[in-house]
Amino acid sequence: MKQSKQLLDYIASQEEAVITYNKSSMILAVHSDASYLSEPKARSRAGGHFFLSHDTDNPPNNGAILNIAHIRKHVMSSATEAELTALYIMAREAVYI
């Protein structure tokens, strides 16, 4: 409870808490990741971070557009399959952005 009060006090005292977007070549970049068998009933997690950034091999992070976190209801047979599932989920969501 003490830590919750400290967090709320901190948030209330920060008047200019904003998300900053920097001017760039404006491509949509996505980082995806998955964890294998990390949830009950042999489930895996998949997540992604969508942002606009420069067109480079390792784009610098800019302000987030969308963050996704899923617990997959299907059992994955390997860590690679979990990673590919996370990549598929992020690509499917990127189509609408």
Side-chain angles (χ1 to χ4, degrees), residues 12-29:
S13 66
Q14 301 300 312
E15 296 177 17
E16 296 190 29
V18 296
I19 296 175
T20 303
Y21 294 92
N22 296 319
K23 182 177 165 183
S24 67
S25 58
M26 303 302 272
I27 65 153
L28 179 64

Side-chain angles (χ1 to χ4, degrees), residues 21-94:
Y21 294 92
N22 296 319
K23 182 177 165 183
S24 67
S25 58
M26 303 302 272
I27 65 153
L28 179 64
V30 181
H31 291 166
S32 68
D33 196 15
S35 65
Y36 176 59
L37 301 179
S38 58
E39 294 296 320
K41 299 182 182 177
R43 294 184 179 163
S44 299
R45 287 183 172 269
H49 175 71
F50 293 71
F51 59 98
L52 297 174
S53 190
H54 299 288
D55 189 10
T56 61
D57 289 339
N58 190 12
N61 197 359
N62 206 350
I65 294 175
L66 176 65
N67 290 308
I68 296 176
H70 280 271
I71 296 176
R72 302 301 303 152
K73 64 181 178 180
H74 301 89
V75 176
M76 301 296 137
S77 61
S78 68
T80 302
E81 187 177 355
E83 292 285 348
L84 288 172
T85 301
L87 186 61
Y88 168 74
I89 292 167
M90 299 318 129
R92 186 182 62 197
E93 292 296 326

